[in-house]
Each structure stands twice: as structure tokens, then as C-alpha cells.
Amino acid sequence: MYAAVVHAFGESPRYELLPDPEPGDGEVVVDVLGAGLHPLVRAVAAGTHYTSGDRLPLVPGYDGVGRLESGEAVYFSGLVPPHGSMAERAAAPRSSLIPLPDGLEPVTTAALVNPMISAWMALYERAELQAGGAVLILGATGNAGRAAAQLALLRGAQKVVAAGRNAEALRELSGMGVHQTVSLDASDEEVAVSLGEVAGDVDAVIDYLWGHPAEVALAAVAGARPDPAQPLRWVAVGSMAGPSIALPSDVLRRINLDICGSGAGSAVPDRVDASLRSLISLLPAAEVRTEAIAVPLAEVHQAWNRNLATGQRLVFCPDLIASGTPA
């Protein structure tokens, strides 16, 4: 079979021939229809993610949409390096297979599910956000933050505050129904005032940035709490702005604050599976805005580092030929 193959961490994959996968216990071979290029996939291929390991060569890709021998279309996930989904075929855990409901297009599903399930786990498993709750999303103008904002609205959040640097993306989020936006492209003082005005009463913060923006936001939200005893769950999902923060101890004493993370190591497998199934059943009726760009798997080397606009995601499709016409 043909697959995308990484021979050195940090290099773009090459389109090469590999032996067909041999399924192990509890696995089934899936004919891949599409595999999304998510930040997790990039990080693993670069060797910078904590799940990367050191085994090379590797086939990138954590999840995807495929077709079983029976003809049924399924979402699959849980692939572990060096075995990935960016190939004509993949050996997927049988327990991960979720049939696609009517109305879910495979390429769009391959683009959507990873950022949406990351948002779901952060919002509802780690932050424990309730319907009618209020949430601040730091880094809402990226694809993952945008997914979190849309999901919070979809599930009935009473207030969603989106903070980010991209002014156009913030305007788009307002058009989707986000209640308040805060530009992080300003001085620390201006950002702190804006966050204090609109996010002092939130129940949760979903933080894709960490680093200095988290320091500014944490001080601003802590200083603006109308009720210091109101629980605040701060969930670190990403570290786009930096790997660490300075955390003054008085912040921990001043308000009822709980800081936790959301990622592969913090997820209970049974809860991930239940959340995935709930999410996929919800998607056909949801108006989630994303632009899935289908790219032939044969063009993986050229397309890997393509610049994308907010809301776009590449999906590599083995059955597309270079012209973009189904083979």
C-alpha cells in the first residue's frame, strides 16, 4: 500500500510504498477515506509531542474515516506511533470504530472530529461546564479554540467569551453567536481591563495558549470575581504562547480556583469513547463551520506545510488523484 512516511522528525512525510498492515488482537483493517492533519499529528511527526516516542520511520495520523470490508463507513481513532492513519489502509482498534450517521460526509468528518472531541473533553469532562454556564476560551481564533466556542454554543452555554489575536476571526465568532470577544492584540493593561469586564464571572476557562497570555488572563479574571467562592475551573489544553507560567500563590488563596489539564494522559478511555459517540451523533444536526480541504495523499510532501486560513483543515485522501478527481 501507499502511505505518508516520516523518516526524520521535523521533515515532511514522503509518499512511499509500505507493506499492508497486519491487524493485531482486537484490530481490524480499514480502507482509509480521509485522515486529518491536526496539530497533534504535526507535533508527533515533529517529535515534539509527549506521545511521539522514538520509533522511525512512522506513518503520521491519529484518526480518520474509513470503510470496512462490509462497505460500512466508520470513524476510527486510537492509532499509536509509528502506525498512523495517513495510508491507504490502517489497522484500527475494533473498539474505536463508530459508524457514521446519515448526513455526515467523510472528509468533513475527518477534519472535524479531532478538534471537536478535544473541545468536548476540555469543556464537559475536565471543566464540567453545565448547560447555562459561562466560559472564556483563550486562543479562540485558532481551529481548536473555534471548535470549543461552537461546541459550547451548541450545548447551551449561557455566555461564551472568545479571546484571541486575529480580528477577522473574532468577528466571525461574533457572527456565529459568541456573546463577547476580547482582542489579545493589545497591551497587557488593555487586555486585563477587557477580560475583567466580560469574563470575571465565568465558570471555566479553556486555555489553548498558556504562557504570558494565561498569566494576564488569570490575574484579570481573579481580580474581577464578583463572588470569590464561585468555583473557577481553568483547563490547560495547549501551550501555543509558551510552555510555562508564573503563578503567584495569592491567586490560589484569593479565589476558588482549580487548574487542570486536558489531553491524552488525563482522559479516561471509557469517557473518551462515550464522548466520541455522543459527539458524532450530534454532528449531522449541528451547524459547525469548518472548511475541510481534501488533498490527495500522493501530495502529502508538498501540502504538509501549506498555510491555511482559520477554520480550514487539510484532510489527506488516498482515493484522490492529483487532479482532485476521485480515482
Side-chain angles (χ1 to χ4, degrees), residues 192-217:
V193 169
S194 296
L195 287 173
E197 289 176 348
V198 301
D201 62 345
V202 298
D203 304 300
V205 178
I206 307 301
D207 185 357
Y208 291 94
L209 300 179
W210 207 237
H212 185 65
E215 295 172 351
V216 174

Side-chain angles (χ1 to χ4, degrees), residues 137 140 146 149-150 153 159-163 170 172-182:
I137 300 169
R146 177 186 173 106
Q150 293 180 84
L153 291 168
K159 181 167 79 170
V160 178
V161 180
L170 288 175
E172 290 180 2
L173 286 165
S174 292
M176 295 176 190
V178 164
H179 303 95
Q180 302 279 352
T181 62
V182 174

Side-chain angles (χ1 to χ4, degrees), residues 197-297:
E197 289 176 348
V198 301
D201 62 345
V202 298
D203 304 300
V205 178
I206 307 301
D207 185 357
Y208 291 94
L209 300 179
W210 207 237
H212 185 65
E215 295 172 351
V216 174
L218 185 54
V221 173
R225 301 297 276 172
D227 177 7
Q230 177 191 357
L232 174 63
R233 181 68 65 91
W234 197 288
V235 183
V237 188
S239 54
M240 296 298 293
S244 60
I245 66 169
L247 176 60
S249 65
D250 69 300
V251 171
L252 298 175
R253 301 193 302 271
R254 188 191 318 168
I255 62 172
N256 185 1
L257 174 66
D258 184 6
I259 299 177
C260 66
S262 185
S266 66
V268 178
D270 288 349
R271 295 303 306 156
V272 175
D273 181 70
S275 297
L276 271 168
R277 293 177 188 276
S278 296
L279 171 64
I280 288 175
S281 69
L282 185 71
L283 284 179
E287 294 185 3
V288 179
R289 303 185 194 178
T290 193
E291 183 182 353
I293 301 175
V295 178
L297 183 63

Side-chain angles (χ1 to χ4, degrees), residues 183-192 216:
S183 173
L184 300 180
D185 191 18
S187 69
D188 288 354
E189 293 76 14
E190 292 170 315
V191 170
V216 174

